[in-house]
Amino acid sequence: QVQLAESGGGLVQAGGSLRLSCAASGRTFSRYGMGWFRQAPGKEREFVATISGSGGTTYYGDSVKGRFTISRDNVKNTVTLQMNSLKPEDTAVYFCAASNYGGSRRAGDYDYWGQGTQVTVSS
């Protein structure tokens, strides 16, 4: 069982930056692939980024590639999403998730989810 708690969301102007963090419980954090997803009102949940258990492999959604960076600290049991050059279309609730299958772009491959943190980007 893994419990996840996101933090770091907020309101930022377009072009600004935010850093999201996800703290995970449990002693086997490094065995899980971790991902970030987001969901805007009236839209489906969208893949943002994923990182393998070791941190050696990362993948990004096309809409955030080159602007967002995912990283993890397997000692502190945290995963971070650094978001730069934010756009109004990045506005959404951002969710952290853990997968027994390693890094994945598919929400269905994730077994544990956080409650989400709101990110709002003003124009």
Side-chain angles (χ1 to χ4, degrees), residues 83-99:
M83 306 186 295
N84 298 329
S85 302
L86 283 161
K87 305 175 182 180
E89 51 264 43
D90 293 319
T91 295
V93 177
Y94 282 71
F95 297 90
C96 171
S99 170

Side-chain angles (χ1 to χ4, degrees), residues 2-8 19-25 29 32-37 49-53 55 57-58 60 69-82 95-99 110 112 114 117:
V2 176
Q3 293 184 325
L4 304 171
E6 302 95 337
S7 62
R19 187 178 180 89
L20 304 184
S21 291
C22 175
S25 65
F29 177 69
Y32 293 98
M34 299 298 296
W36 286 95
F37 289 78
T50 186
I51 188 167
S52 61
T57 302
T58 58
Y60 296 90
T69 303
I70 189 171
S71 60
R72 68 188 296 160
D73 185 329
N74 285 343
V75 174
K76 295 182 179 179
N77 284 12
T78 58
V79 60
T80 299
L81 185 69
Q82 176 66 42
F95 297 90
C96 171
S99 170
Y110 288 81
Y112 306 100
T117 185

Side-chain angles (χ1 to χ4, degrees), residues 1 21 45 48 52 61 71 83 87 106 111 120:
Q1 188 78 12
S21 291
R45 192 162 294 192
V48 175
S52 61
S71 60
M83 306 186 295
K87 305 175 182 180
R106 300 187 303 177
D111 306 281
T120 303

